[in-house]
mmCIF file with all atom_site columns, all heavy atoms in Angstrom:
data_model
loop_
_atom_site.group_PDB
_atom_site.id
_atom_site.type_symbol
_atom_site.label_atom_id
_atom_site.label_alt_id
_atom_site.label_comp_id
_atom_site.label_asym_id
_atom_site.label_entity_id
_atom_site.label_seq_id
_atom_site.pdbx_PDB_ins_code
_atom_site.Cartn_x
_atom_site.Cartn_y
_atom_site.Cartn_z
_atom_site.occupancy
_atom_site.B_iso_or_equiv
_atom_site.pdbx_formal_charge
_atom_site.auth_seq_id
_atom_site.auth_comp_id
_atom_site.auth_asym_id
_atom_site.auth_atom_id
_atom_site.pdbx_PDB_model_num
ATOM 1  N N   . SER A 1 8   ? 50.193 136.278 -241.703 1.00 0.00 ? 8   SER A N   1
ATOM 2  C CA  . SER A 1 8   ? 51.078 136.050 -242.890 1.00 0.00 ? 8   SER A CA  1
ATOM 3  C C   . SER A 1 8   ? 51.035 134.576 -243.317 1.00 0.00 ? 8   SER A C   1
ATOM 4  O O   . SER A 1 8   ? 52.085 133.950 -243.607 1.00 0.00 ? 8   SER A O   1
ATOM 5  C CB  . SER A 1 8   ? 52.541 136.399 -242.533 1.00 0.00 ? 8   SER A CB  1
ATOM 6  O OG  . SER A 1 8   ? 52.610 137.830 -242.192 1.00 0.00 ? 8   SER A OG  1
ATOM 7  N N   . ASP A 1 68  ? 29.784 115.744 -241.848 1.00 0.00 ? 68  ASP A N   1
ATOM 8  C CA  . ASP A 1 68  ? 29.817 116.934 -242.751 1.00 0.00 ? 68  ASP A CA  1
ATOM 9  C C   . ASP A 1 68  ? 30.669 117.979 -242.155 1.00 0.00 ? 68  ASP A C   1
ATOM 10 O O   . ASP A 1 68  ? 31.351 118.745 -242.878 1.00 0.00 ? 68  ASP A O   1
ATOM 11 C CB  . ASP A 1 68  ? 28.389 117.380 -242.939 1.00 0.00 ? 68  ASP A CB  1
ATOM 12 C CG  . ASP A 1 68  ? 27.566 116.531 -243.942 1.00 0.00 ? 68  ASP A CG  1
ATOM 13 O OD1 . ASP A 1 68  ? 28.179 115.812 -244.691 1.00 0.00 ? 68  ASP A OD1 1
ATOM 14 O OD2 . ASP A 1 68  ? 26.312 116.664 -243.933 1.00 0.00 ? 68  ASP A OD2 1
ATOM 15 N N   . ILE A 1 135 ? 38.825 110.259 -240.030 1.00 0.00 ? 135 ILE A N   1
ATOM 16 C CA  . ILE A 1 135 ? 39.121 111.230 -241.039 1.00 0.00 ? 135 ILE A CA  1
ATOM 17 C C   . ILE A 1 135 ? 39.021 110.648 -242.458 1.00 0.00 ? 135 ILE A C   1
ATOM 18 O O   . ILE A 1 135 ? 38.433 111.264 -243.317 1.00 0.00 ? 135 ILE A O   1
ATOM 19 C CB  . ILE A 1 135 ? 40.505 111.845 -240.781 1.00 0.00 ? 135 ILE A CB  1
ATOM 20 C CG1 . ILE A 1 135 ? 40.526 112.727 -239.614 1.00 0.00 ? 135 ILE A CG1 1
ATOM 21 C CG2 . ILE A 1 135 ? 41.022 112.582 -241.999 1.00 0.00 ? 135 ILE A CG2 1
ATOM 22 C CD1 . ILE A 1 135 ? 41.912 113.229 -239.131 1.00 0.00 ? 135 ILE A CD1 1
ATOM 23 N N   . MET A 1 156 ? 49.300 109.769 -240.216 1.00 0.00 ? 156 MET A N   1
ATOM 24 C CA  . MET A 1 156 ? 50.094 110.028 -239.012 1.00 0.00 ? 156 MET A CA  1
ATOM 25 C C   . MET A 1 156 ? 51.515 110.480 -239.438 1.00 0.00 ? 156 MET A C   1
ATOM 26 O O   . MET A 1 156 ? 52.016 111.425 -238.843 1.00 0.00 ? 156 MET A O   1
ATOM 27 C CB  . MET A 1 156 ? 50.173 108.762 -238.144 1.00 0.00 ? 156 MET A CB  1
ATOM 28 C CG  . MET A 1 156 ? 48.887 108.473 -237.422 1.00 0.00 ? 156 MET A CG  1
ATOM 29 S SD  . MET A 1 156 ? 49.007 107.203 -236.152 1.00 0.00 ? 156 MET A SD  1
ATOM 30 C CE  . MET A 1 156 ? 49.104 105.761 -237.143 1.00 0.00 ? 156 MET A CE  1
ATOM 31 N N   . ARG A 1 157 ? 52.089 109.825 -240.424 1.00 0.00 ? 157 ARG A N   1
ATOM 32 C CA  . ARG A 1 157 ? 53.378 110.288 -240.883 1.00 0.00 ? 157 ARG A CA  1
ATOM 33 C C   . ARG A 1 157 ? 53.358 111.671 -241.538 1.00 0.00 ? 157 ARG A C   1
ATOM 34 O O   . ARG A 1 157 ? 54.290 112.408 -241.397 1.00 0.00 ? 157 ARG A O   1
ATOM 35 C CB  . ARG A 1 157 ? 53.937 109.242 -241.862 1.00 0.00 ? 157 ARG A CB  1
ATOM 36 C CG  . ARG A 1 157 ? 55.380 109.536 -242.309 1.00 0.00 ? 157 ARG A CG  1
ATOM 37 C CD  . ARG A 1 157 ? 55.957 108.419 -243.102 1.00 0.00 ? 157 ARG A CD  1
ATOM 38 N NE  . ARG A 1 157 ? 55.197 108.075 -244.301 1.00 0.00 ? 157 ARG A NE  1
ATOM 39 C CZ  . ARG A 1 157 ? 54.527 106.984 -244.574 1.00 0.00 ? 157 ARG A CZ  1
ATOM 40 N NH1 . ARG A 1 157 ? 54.597 105.975 -243.618 1.00 0.00 ? 157 ARG A NH1 1
ATOM 41 N NH2 . ARG A 1 157 ? 53.886 106.779 -245.715 1.00 0.00 ? 157 ARG A NH2 1
ATOM 42 N N   . PRO A 1 190 ? 17.442 108.210 -214.022 1.00 0.00 ? 190 PRO A N   1
ATOM 43 C CA  . PRO A 1 190 ? 17.016 107.596 -215.310 1.00 0.00 ? 190 PRO A CA  1
ATOM 44 C C   . PRO A 1 190 ? 15.712 108.268 -215.904 1.00 0.00 ? 190 PRO A C   1
ATOM 45 O O   . PRO A 1 190 ? 14.933 107.609 -216.577 1.00 0.00 ? 190 PRO A O   1
ATOM 46 C CB  . PRO A 1 190 ? 16.690 106.121 -214.878 1.00 0.00 ? 190 PRO A CB  1
ATOM 47 C CG  . PRO A 1 190 ? 16.311 106.290 -213.442 1.00 0.00 ? 190 PRO A CG  1
ATOM 48 C CD  . PRO A 1 190 ? 17.137 107.442 -212.887 1.00 0.00 ? 190 PRO A CD  1
ATOM 49 N N   . LEU A 1 206 ? 30.577 115.355 -229.749 1.00 0.00 ? 206 LEU A N   1
ATOM 50 C CA  . LEU A 1 206 ? 30.737 114.704 -231.046 1.00 0.00 ? 206 LEU A CA  1
ATOM 51 C C   . LEU A 1 206 ? 31.084 115.723 -232.069 1.00 0.00 ? 206 LEU A C   1
ATOM 52 O O   . LEU A 1 206 ? 32.047 115.606 -232.843 1.00 0.00 ? 206 LEU A O   1
ATOM 53 C CB  . LEU A 1 206 ? 29.477 113.906 -231.470 1.00 0.00 ? 206 LEU A CB  1
ATOM 54 C CG  . LEU A 1 206 ? 29.577 113.164 -232.781 1.00 0.00 ? 206 LEU A CG  1
ATOM 55 C CD1 . LEU A 1 206 ? 30.467 112.039 -232.687 1.00 0.00 ? 206 LEU A CD1 1
ATOM 56 C CD2 . LEU A 1 206 ? 28.148 112.804 -233.174 1.00 0.00 ? 206 LEU A CD2 1
ATOM 57 N N   . MET A 1 223 ? 49.878 118.634 -247.262 1.00 0.00 ? 223 MET A N   1
ATOM 58 C CA  . MET A 1 223 ? 50.631 117.355 -247.140 1.00 0.00 ? 223 MET A CA  1
ATOM 59 C C   . MET A 1 223 ? 49.648 116.153 -247.298 1.00 0.00 ? 223 MET A C   1
ATOM 60 O O   . MET A 1 223 ? 50.063 115.069 -247.750 1.00 0.00 ? 223 MET A O   1
ATOM 61 C CB  . MET A 1 223 ? 51.313 117.271 -245.768 1.00 0.00 ? 223 MET A CB  1
ATOM 62 C CG  . MET A 1 223 ? 52.504 118.178 -245.552 1.00 0.00 ? 223 MET A CG  1
ATOM 63 S SD  . MET A 1 223 ? 53.189 118.187 -243.949 1.00 0.00 ? 223 MET A SD  1
ATOM 64 C CE  . MET A 1 223 ? 51.934 119.007 -242.928 1.00 0.00 ? 223 MET A CE  1
ATOM 65 N N   . ALA A 1 238 ? 36.015 138.243 -246.945 1.00 0.00 ? 238 ALA A N   1
ATOM 66 C CA  . ALA A 1 238 ? 34.639 138.176 -246.199 1.00 0.00 ? 238 ALA A CA  1
ATOM 67 C C   . ALA A 1 238 ? 34.780 138.838 -244.919 1.00 0.00 ? 238 ALA A C   1
ATOM 68 O O   . ALA A 1 238 ? 33.770 139.435 -244.373 1.00 0.00 ? 238 ALA A O   1
ATOM 69 C CB  . ALA A 1 238 ? 34.300 136.661 -245.998 1.00 0.00 ? 238 ALA A CB  1
#
Side-chain angles (χ1 to χ4, degrees):
S8 300
D68 282 345
I135 287 169
M156 289 189 283
R157 184 173 58 243
L206 180 71
M223 292 177 287

